[in-house]
PDB file of all heavy atoms in Angstrom:
ATOM      1  N   GLN A  80     -16.938 -87.732  59.041  1.00 98.00           N
ATOM      2  CA  GLN A  80     -16.363 -89.054  58.758  1.00 98.00           C
ATOM      3  C   GLN A  80     -15.389 -88.991  57.581  1.00 98.00           C
ATOM      4  O   GLN A  80     -14.320 -89.601  57.616  1.00 98.00           O
ATOM      5  CB  GLN A  80     -17.469 -90.075  58.477  1.00 98.00           C
ATOM      6  CG  GLN A  80     -18.291 -90.407  59.711  1.00 98.00           C
ATOM      7  CD  GLN A  80     -19.546 -91.200  59.388  1.00 98.00           C
ATOM      8  OE1 GLN A  80     -20.105 -91.099  58.294  1.00 98.00           O
ATOM      9  NE2 GLN A  80     -19.994 -91.996  60.346  1.00 98.00           N
ATOM     10  N   ALA A  81     -15.755 -88.248  56.538  1.00 98.00           N
ATOM     11  CA  ALA A  81     -14.891 -88.137  55.357  1.00 98.00           C
ATOM     12  C   ALA A  81     -13.569 -87.455  55.706  1.00 98.00           C
ATOM     13  O   ALA A  81     -12.502 -87.859  55.219  1.00 98.00           O
ATOM     14  CB  ALA A  81     -15.611 -87.368  54.247  1.00 98.00           C
ATOM     15  N   ILE A  82     -13.622 -86.439  56.551  1.00 98.00           N
ATOM     16  CA  ILE A  82     -12.397 -85.760  56.989  1.00 98.00           C
ATOM     17  C   ILE A  82     -11.508 -86.747  57.749  1.00 98.00           C
ATOM     18  O   ILE A  82     -10.307 -86.851  57.480  1.00 98.00           O
ATOM     19  CB  ILE A  82     -12.733 -84.524  57.857  1.00 98.00           C
ATOM     20  CG1 ILE A  82     -13.438 -83.456  57.011  1.00 98.00           C
ATOM     21  CG2 ILE A  82     -11.468 -83.956  58.511  1.00 98.00           C
ATOM     22  CD1 ILE A  82     -14.126 -82.359  57.823  1.00 98.00           C
ATOM     23  N   ALA A  83     -12.117 -87.487  58.686  1.00 98.00           N
ATOM     24  CA  ALA A  83     -11.351 -88.481  59.454  1.00 98.00           C
ATOM     25  C   ALA A  83     -10.766 -89.544  58.528  1.00 98.00           C
ATOM     26  O   ALA A  83      -9.595 -89.922  58.660  1.00 98.00           O
ATOM     27  CB  ALA A  83     -12.232 -89.117  60.521  1.00 98.00           C
ATOM     28  N   ASP A  84     -11.558 -90.012  57.563  1.00 98.00           N
ATOM     29  CA  ASP A  84     -11.079 -91.003  56.592  1.00 98.00           C
ATOM     30  C   ASP A  84      -9.869 -90.472  55.828  1.00 98.00           C
ATOM     31  O   ASP A  84      -8.879 -91.187  55.633  1.00 98.00           O
ATOM     32  CB  ASP A  84     -12.175 -91.356  55.571  1.00 98.00           C
ATOM     33  CG  ASP A  84     -13.280 -92.226  56.157  1.00 98.00           C
ATOM     34  OD1 ASP A  84     -13.067 -92.853  57.218  1.00 98.00           O
ATOM     35  OD2 ASP A  84     -14.361 -92.280  55.537  1.00 98.00           O
ATOM     36  N   GLY A  85      -9.965 -89.235  55.370  1.00 98.00           N
ATOM     37  CA  GLY A  85      -8.866 -88.631  54.609  1.00 98.00           C
ATOM     38  C   GLY A  85      -7.590 -88.537  55.420  1.00 98.00           C
ATOM     39  O   GLY A  85      -6.490 -88.795  54.914  1.00 98.00           O
ATOM     40  N   ILE A  86      -7.749 -88.184  56.691  1.00 98.00           N
ATOM     41  CA  ILE A  86      -6.583 -88.070  57.583  1.00 98.00           C
ATOM     42  C   ILE A  86      -5.962 -89.443  57.814  1.00 98.00           C
ATOM     43  O   ILE A  86      -4.743 -89.606  57.716  1.00 98.00           O
ATOM     44  CB  ILE A  86      -7.004 -87.393  58.903  1.00 98.00           C
ATOM     45  CG1 ILE A  86      -7.310 -85.916  58.650  1.00 98.00           C
ATOM     46  CG2 ILE A  86      -5.929 -87.575  59.978  1.00 98.00           C
ATOM     47  CD1 ILE A  86      -8.044 -85.217  59.762  1.00 98.00           C
ATOM     48  N   VAL A  87      -6.791 -90.435  58.119  1.00 98.00           N
ATOM     49  CA  VAL A  87      -6.290 -91.794  58.359  1.00 98.00           C
ATOM     50  C   VAL A  87      -5.591 -92.327  57.109  1.00 98.00           C
ATOM     51  O   VAL A  87      -4.500 -92.908  57.192  1.00 98.00           O
ATOM     52  CB  VAL A  87      -7.435 -92.739  58.802  1.00 98.00           C
ATOM     53  CG1 VAL A  87      -6.994 -94.188  58.771  1.00 98.00           C
ATOM     54  CG2 VAL A  87      -7.932 -92.352  60.195  1.00 98.00           C
ATOM     55  N   GLU A  88      -6.210 -92.089  55.955  1.00 98.00           N
ATOM     56  CA  GLU A  88      -5.645 -92.575  54.689  1.00 98.00           C
ATOM     57  C   GLU A  88      -4.276 -91.956  54.413  1.00 98.00           C
ATOM     58  O   GLU A  88      -3.319 -92.649  54.097  1.00 98.00           O
ATOM     59  CB  GLU A  88      -6.624 -92.213  53.574  1.00 98.00           C
ATOM     60  CG  GLU A  88      -6.371 -92.875  52.245  1.00 98.00           C
ATOM     61  CD  GLU A  88      -7.463 -92.510  51.245  1.00 98.00           C
ATOM     62  OE1 GLU A  88      -8.648 -92.801  51.518  1.00 98.00           O
ATOM     63  OE2 GLU A  88      -7.114 -91.903  50.219  1.00 98.00           O
ATOM     64  N   LYS A  89      -4.179 -90.632  54.567  1.00 98.00           N
ATOM     65  CA  LYS A  89      -2.911 -89.943  54.287  1.00 98.00           C
ATOM     66  C   LYS A  89      -1.834 -90.326  55.295  1.00 98.00           C
ATOM     67  O   LYS A  89      -0.681 -90.545  54.931  1.00 98.00           O
ATOM     68  CB  LYS A  89      -3.112 -88.435  54.299  1.00 98.00           C
ATOM     69  CG  LYS A  89      -3.024 -87.855  52.917  1.00 98.00           C
ATOM     70  CD  LYS A  89      -2.874 -86.366  52.906  1.00 98.00           C
ATOM     71  CE  LYS A  89      -2.612 -85.983  51.468  1.00 98.00           C
ATOM     72  NZ  LYS A  89      -3.142 -84.740  51.067  1.00 98.00           N
ATOM     73  N   ALA A  90      -2.207 -90.381  56.570  1.00 98.00           N
ATOM     74  CA  ALA A  90      -1.232 -90.731  57.611  1.00 98.00           C
ATOM     75  C   ALA A  90      -0.747 -92.165  57.415  1.00 98.00           C
ATOM     76  O   ALA A  90       0.457 -92.441  57.492  1.00 98.00           O
ATOM     77  CB  ALA A  90      -1.844 -90.544  58.993  1.00 98.00           C
ATOM     78  N   SER A  91      -1.675 -93.078  57.141  1.00 97.00           N
ATOM     79  CA  SER A  91      -1.313 -94.481  56.919  1.00 97.00           C
ATOM     80  C   SER A  91      -0.397 -94.608  55.709  1.00 97.00           C
ATOM     81  O   SER A  91       0.570 -95.373  55.729  1.00 97.00           O
ATOM     82  CB  SER A  91      -2.559 -95.347  56.730  1.00 97.00           C
ATOM     83  OG  SER A  91      -3.347 -95.340  57.910  1.00 97.00           O
ATOM     84  N   GLY A  92      -0.690 -93.851  54.660  1.00 97.00           N
ATOM     85  CA  GLY A  92       0.134 -93.858  53.455  1.00 97.00           C
ATOM     86  C   GLY A  92       1.548 -93.377  53.717  1.00 97.00           C
ATOM     87  O   GLY A  92       2.484 -93.748  53.011  1.00 97.00           O
ATOM     88  N   ALA A  93       1.691 -92.562  54.755  1.00 97.00           N
ATOM     89  CA  ALA A  93       3.015 -92.050  55.135  1.00 97.00           C
ATOM     90  C   ALA A  93       3.644 -92.914  56.226  1.00 97.00           C
ATOM     91  O   ALA A  93       4.640 -92.530  56.841  1.00 97.00           O
ATOM     92  CB  ALA A  93       2.891 -90.608  55.603  1.00 97.00           C
ATOM     93  N   GLY A  94       3.021 -94.072  56.500  1.00 96.00           N
ATOM     94  CA  GLY A  94       3.590 -94.987  57.485  1.00 96.00           C
ATOM     95  C   GLY A  94       3.170 -94.733  58.918  1.00 96.00           C
ATOM     96  O   GLY A  94       3.750 -95.269  59.847  1.00 96.00           O
ATOM     97  N   ARG A  95       2.143 -93.907  59.130  1.00 96.00           N
ATOM     98  CA  ARG A  95       1.675 -93.602  60.491  1.00 96.00           C
ATOM     99  C   ARG A  95       0.230 -94.039  60.661  1.00 96.00           C
ATOM    100  O   ARG A  95      -0.689 -93.241  60.558  1.00 96.00           O
ATOM    101  CB  ARG A  95       1.815 -92.110  60.773  1.00 96.00           C
ATOM    102  CG  ARG A  95       3.237 -91.614  60.851  1.00 96.00           C
ATOM    103  CD  ARG A  95       4.016 -92.187  62.041  1.00 96.00           C
ATOM    104  NE  ARG A  95       3.476 -91.754  63.308  1.00 96.00           N
ATOM    105  CZ  ARG A  95       3.881 -90.658  63.941  1.00 96.00           C
ATOM    106  NH1 ARG A  95       4.818 -89.908  63.439  1.00 96.00           N
ATOM    107  NH2 ARG A  95       3.339 -90.339  65.093  1.00 96.00           N
ATOM    108  N   LYS A  96       0.043 -95.322  60.921  1.00 96.00           N
ATOM    109  CA  LYS A  96      -1.315 -95.829  61.171  1.00 96.00           C
ATOM    110  C   LYS A  96      -1.775 -95.308  62.534  1.00 96.00           C
ATOM    111  O   LYS A  96      -0.986 -95.211  63.462  1.00 96.00           O
ATOM    112  CB  LYS A  96      -1.309 -97.355  61.177  1.00 96.00           C
ATOM    113  CG  LYS A  96      -1.121 -97.958  59.788  1.00 96.00           C
ATOM    114  CD  LYS A  96      -1.716 -99.347  59.754  1.00 96.00           C
ATOM    115  CE  LYS A  96      -1.507-100.064  58.441  1.00 96.00           C
ATOM    116  NZ  LYS A  96      -1.743 -99.296  57.249  1.00 96.00           N
ATOM    117  N   PRO A  97      -3.061 -94.981  62.655  1.00 98.00           N
ATOM    118  CA  PRO A  97      -3.560 -94.475  63.942  1.00 98.00           C
ATOM    119  C   PRO A  97      -3.434 -95.511  65.059  1.00 98.00           C
ATOM    120  O   PRO A  97      -3.606 -96.706  64.813  1.00 98.00           O
ATOM    121  CB  PRO A  97      -5.027 -94.171  63.687  1.00 98.00           C
ATOM    122  CG  PRO A  97      -5.219 -94.218  62.226  1.00 98.00           C
ATOM    123  CD  PRO A  97      -4.100 -95.005  61.637  1.00 98.00           C
ATOM    124  N   VAL A  98      -3.149 -95.024  66.257  1.00 97.00           N
ATOM    125  CA  VAL A  98      -3.170 -95.860  67.455  1.00 97.00           C
ATOM    126  C   VAL A  98      -4.615 -96.237  67.749  1.00 97.00           C
ATOM    127  O   VAL A  98      -4.911 -97.321  68.232  1.00 97.00           O
ATOM    128  CB  VAL A  98      -2.567 -95.100  68.665  1.00 97.00           C
ATOM    129  CG1 VAL A  98      -2.627 -95.937  69.930  1.00 97.00           C
ATOM    130  CG2 VAL A  98      -1.137 -94.673  68.364  1.00 97.00           C
ATOM    131  N   GLY A  99      -5.525 -95.313  67.434  1.00 97.00           N
ATOM    132  CA  GLY A  99      -6.946 -95.560  67.651  1.00 97.00           C
ATOM    133  C   GLY A  99      -7.795 -94.500  66.988  1.00 97.00           C
ATOM    134  O   GLY A  99      -7.325 -93.400  66.708  1.00 97.00           O
ATOM    135  N   VAL A 100      -9.045 -94.866  66.706  1.00 98.00           N
ATOM    136  CA  VAL A 100     -10.033 -93.928  66.171  1.00 98.00           C
ATOM    137  C   VAL A 100     -11.296 -94.137  66.995  1.00 98.00           C
ATOM    138  O   VAL A 100     -11.768 -95.259  67.131  1.00 98.00           O
ATOM    139  CB  VAL A 100     -10.327 -94.198  64.673  1.00 98.00           C
ATOM    140  CG1 VAL A 100     -11.434 -93.273  64.172  1.00 98.00           C
ATOM    141  CG2 VAL A 100      -9.068 -94.032  63.837  1.00 98.00           C
ATOM    142  N   GLU A 101     -11.814 -93.060  67.563  1.00 98.00           N
ATOM    143  CA  GLU A 101     -13.012 -93.164  68.400  1.00 98.00           C
ATOM    144  C   GLU A 101     -14.103 -92.244  67.873  1.00 98.00           C
ATOM    145  O   GLU A 101     -13.813 -91.173  67.348  1.00 98.00           O
ATOM    146  CB  GLU A 101     -12.684 -92.776  69.841  1.00 98.00           C
ATOM    147  CG  GLU A 101     -11.700 -93.729  70.494  1.00 98.00           C
ATOM    148  CD  GLU A 101     -11.299 -93.261  71.890  1.00 98.00           C
ATOM    149  OE1 GLU A 101     -12.128 -92.616  72.572  1.00 98.00           O
ATOM    150  OE2 GLU A 101     -10.158 -93.538  72.275  1.00 98.00           O
ATOM    151  N   GLY A 102     -15.354 -92.668  68.016  1.00 98.00           N
ATOM    152  CA  GLY A 102     -16.502 -91.833  67.671  1.00 98.00           C
ATOM    153  C   GLY A 102     -16.887 -91.864  66.208  1.00 98.00           C
ATOM    154  O   GLY A 102     -17.737 -91.088  65.777  1.00 98.00           O
ATOM    155  N   TYR A 103     -16.274 -92.757  65.435  1.00 98.00           N
ATOM    156  CA  TYR A 103     -16.492 -92.755  63.983  1.00 98.00           C
ATOM    157  C   TYR A 103     -17.948 -93.017  63.606  1.00 98.00           C
ATOM    158  O   TYR A 103     -18.499 -92.319  62.755  1.00 98.00           O
ATOM    159  CB  TYR A 103     -15.573 -93.777  63.304  1.00 98.00           C
ATOM    160  CG  TYR A 103     -15.667 -93.703  61.798  1.00 98.00           C
ATOM    161  CD1 TYR A 103     -14.877 -92.814  61.091  1.00 98.00           C
ATOM    162  CD2 TYR A 103     -16.579 -94.484  61.095  1.00 98.00           C
ATOM    163  CE1 TYR A 103     -14.976 -92.708  59.712  1.00 98.00           C
ATOM    164  CE2 TYR A 103     -16.690 -94.384  59.712  1.00 98.00           C
ATOM    165  CZ  TYR A 103     -15.892 -93.500  59.024  1.00 98.00           C
ATOM    166  OH  TYR A 103     -16.007 -93.387  57.673  1.00 98.00           O
ATOM    167  N   THR A 104     -18.564 -94.011  64.223  1.00 97.00           N
ATOM    168  CA  THR A 104     -19.916 -94.413  63.837  1.00 97.00           C
ATOM    169  C   THR A 104     -20.919 -93.269  63.977  1.00 97.00           C
ATOM    170  O   THR A 104     -21.714 -93.018  63.074  1.00 97.00           O
ATOM    171  CB  THR A 104     -20.377 -95.635  64.659  1.00 97.00           C
ATOM    172  OG1 THR A 104     -19.386 -96.651  64.513  1.00 97.00           O
ATOM    173  CG2 THR A 104     -21.701 -96.165  64.162  1.00 97.00           C
ATOM    174  N   ALA A 105     -20.842 -92.546  65.088  1.00 97.00           N
ATOM    175  CA  ALA A 105     -21.775 -91.434  65.313  1.00 97.00           C
ATOM    176  C   ALA A 105     -21.435 -90.247  64.407  1.00 97.00           C
ATOM    177  O   ALA A 105     -22.325 -89.523  63.962  1.00 97.00           O
ATOM    178  CB  ALA A 105     -21.750 -91.009  66.773  1.00 97.00           C
ATOM    179  N   GLY A 106     -20.145 -90.023  64.149  1.00 98.00           N
ATOM    180  CA  GLY A 106     -19.737 -88.946  63.253  1.00 98.00           C
ATOM    181  C   GLY A 106     -19.950 -87.552  63.796  1.00 98.00           C
ATOM    182  O   GLY A 106     -20.024 -86.597  63.032  1.00 98.00           O
ATOM    183  N   ARG A 107     -20.044 -87.418  65.115  1.00 98.00           N
ATOM    184  CA  ARG A 107     -20.263 -86.098  65.714  1.00 98.00           C
ATOM    185  C   ARG A 107     -18.960 -85.518  66.263  1.00 98.00           C
ATOM    186  O   ARG A 107     -18.741 -84.313  66.215  1.00 98.00           O
ATOM    187  CB  ARG A 107     -21.323 -86.186  66.807  1.00 98.00           C
ATOM    188  CG  ARG A 107     -22.670 -86.670  66.249  1.00 98.00           C
ATOM    189  CD  ARG A 107     -23.758 -86.702  67.277  1.00 98.00           C
ATOM    190  NE  ARG A 107     -24.071 -85.368  67.784  1.00 98.00           N
ATOM    191  CZ  ARG A 107     -24.774 -84.453  67.115  1.00 98.00           C
ATOM    192  NH1 ARG A 107     -25.233 -84.716  65.921  1.00 98.00           N
ATOM    193  NH2 ARG A 107     -25.006 -83.290  67.652  1.00 98.00           N
ATOM    194  N   TRP A 108     -18.126 -86.393  66.814  1.00 98.00           N
ATOM    195  CA  TRP A 108     -16.801 -86.011  67.298  1.00 98.00           C
ATOM    196  C   TRP A 108     -15.925 -87.236  67.093  1.00 98.00           C
ATOM    197  O   TRP A 108     -16.097 -88.248  67.757  1.00 98.00           O
ATOM    198  CB  TRP A 108     -16.834 -85.610  68.764  1.00 98.00           C
ATOM    199  CG  TRP A 108     -15.493 -85.389  69.398  1.00 98.00           C
ATOM    200  CD1 TRP A 108     -14.264 -85.307  68.785  1.00 98.00           C
ATOM    201  CD2 TRP A 108     -15.224 -85.199  70.795  1.00 98.00           C
ATOM    202  NE1 TRP A 108     -13.281 -85.084  69.709  1.00 98.00           N
ATOM    203  CE2 TRP A 108     -13.835 -85.005  70.943  1.00 98.00           C
ATOM    204  CE3 TRP A 108     -16.030 -85.176  71.916  1.00 98.00           C
ATOM    205  CZ2 TRP A 108     -13.234 -84.789  72.183  1.00 98.00           C
ATOM    206  CZ3 TRP A 108     -15.428 -84.966  73.146  1.00 98.00           C
ATOM    207  CH2 TRP A 108     -14.051 -84.765  73.278  1.00 98.00           C
ATOM    208  N   ILE A 109     -15.046 -87.172  66.119  1.00 98.00           N
ATOM    209  CA  ILE A 109     -14.150 -88.294  65.854  1.00 98.00           C
ATOM    210  C   ILE A 109     -12.757 -87.915  66.316  1.00 98.00           C
ATOM    211  O   ILE A 109     -12.240 -86.853  65.962  1.00 98.00           O
ATOM    212  CB  ILE A 109     -14.134 -88.670  64.353  1.00 98.00           C
ATOM    213  CG1 ILE A 109     -15.544 -89.062  63.892  1.00 98.00           C
ATOM    214  CG2 ILE A 109     -13.138 -89.824  64.103  1.00 98.00           C
ATOM    215  CD1 ILE A 109     -15.652 -89.358  62.401  1.00 98.00           C
ATOM    216  N   LEU A 110     -12.176 -88.781  67.119  1.00 98.00           N
ATOM    217  CA  LEU A 110     -10.814 -88.597  67.598  1.00 98.00           C
ATOM    218  C   LEU A 110      -9.926 -89.582  66.841  1.00 98.00           C
ATOM    219  O   LEU A 110     -10.207 -90.779  66.827  1.00 98.00           O
ATOM    220  CB  LEU A 110     -10.756 -88.858  69.106  1.00 98.00           C
ATOM    221  CG  LEU A 110      -9.415 -88.628  69.785  1.00 98.00           C
ATOM    222  CD1 LEU A 110      -9.631 -88.156  71.210  1.00 98.00           C
ATOM    223  CD2 LEU A 110      -8.550 -89.870  69.784  1.00 98.00           C
ATOM    224  N   VAL A 111      -8.888 -89.058  66.203  1.00 98.00           N
ATOM    225  CA  VAL A 111      -7.908 -89.894  65.506  1.00 98.00           C
ATOM    226  C   VAL A 111      -6.590 -89.732  66.257  1.00 98.00           C
ATOM    227  O   VAL A 111      -6.008 -88.640  66.272  1.00 98.00           O
ATOM    228  CB  VAL A 111      -7.730 -89.481  64.024  1.00 98.00           C
ATOM    229  CG1 VAL A 111      -6.697 -90.372  63.343  1.00 98.00           C
ATOM    230  CG2 VAL A 111      -9.061 -89.539  63.286  1.00 98.00           C
ATOM    231  N   ASP A 112      -6.149 -90.802  66.912  1.00 98.00           N
ATOM    232  CA  ASP A 112      -4.933 -90.767  67.722  1.00 98.00           C
ATOM    233  C   ASP A 112      -3.748 -91.243  66.891  1.00 98.00           C
ATOM    234  O   ASP A 112      -3.626 -92.427  66.580  1.00 98.00           O
ATOM    235  CB  ASP A 112      -5.117 -91.648  68.960  1.00 98.00           C
ATOM    236  CG  ASP A 112      -3.943 -91.581  69.918  1.00 98.00           C
ATOM    237  OD1 ASP A 112      -2.888 -91.016  69.556  1.00 98.00           O
ATOM    238  OD2 ASP A 112      -4.083 -92.110  71.040  1.00 98.00           O
ATOM    239  N   LEU A 113      -2.892 -90.296  66.528  1.00 98.00           N
ATOM    240  CA  LEU A 113      -1.675 -90.609  65.777  1.00 98.00           C
ATOM    241  C   LEU A 113      -0.453 -90.491  66.693  1.00 98.00           C
ATOM    242  O   LEU A 113       0.638 -90.163  66.256  1.00 98.00           O
ATOM    243  CB  LEU A 113      -1.547 -89.675  64.568  1.00 98.00           C
ATOM    244  CG  LEU A 113      -2.656 -89.802  63.527  1.00 98.00           C
ATOM    245  CD1 LEU A 113      -2.658 -88.624  62.563  1.00 98.00           C
ATOM    246  CD2 LEU A 113      -2.526 -91.113  62.770  1.00 98.00           C
ATOM    247  N   SER A 114      -0.671 -90.713  67.982  1.00 96.00           N
ATOM    248  CA  SER A 114       0.356 -90.678  69.012  1.00 96.00           C
ATOM    249  C   SER A 114       0.815 -89.250  69.305  1.00 96.00           C
ATOM    250  O   SER A 114       0.252 -88.613  70.172  1.00 96.00           O
ATOM    251  CB  SER A 114       1.531 -91.594  68.645  1.00 96.00           C
ATOM    252  OG  SER A 114       2.352 -91.765  69.759  1.00 96.00           O
ATOM    253  N   ASP A 115       1.806 -88.725  68.594  1.00 95.00           N
ATOM    254  CA  ASP A 115       2.277 -87.374  68.904  1.00 95.00           C
ATOM    255  C   ASP A 115       1.390 -86.278  68.310  1.00 95.00           C
ATOM    256  O   ASP A 115       1.541 -85.110  68.641  1.00 95.00           O
ATOM    257  CB  ASP A 115       3.747 -87.165  68.519  1.00 95.00           C
ATOM    258  CG  ASP A 115       4.092 -87.680  67.128  1.00 95.00           C
ATOM    259  OD1 ASP A 115       3.296 -88.436  66.556  1.00 95.00           O
ATOM    260  OD2 ASP A 115       5.177 -87.332  66.634  1.00 95.00           O
TER     261      ASP A 115
END
């Protein structure tokens, strides 16, 4: 979860908010969709 949070935070800070984030609650496999 912390890795996913860090990625979302950095990408958002650079103007690239995720299209979607899946699997966060379970924390076993989190998919962060940044489009490309």
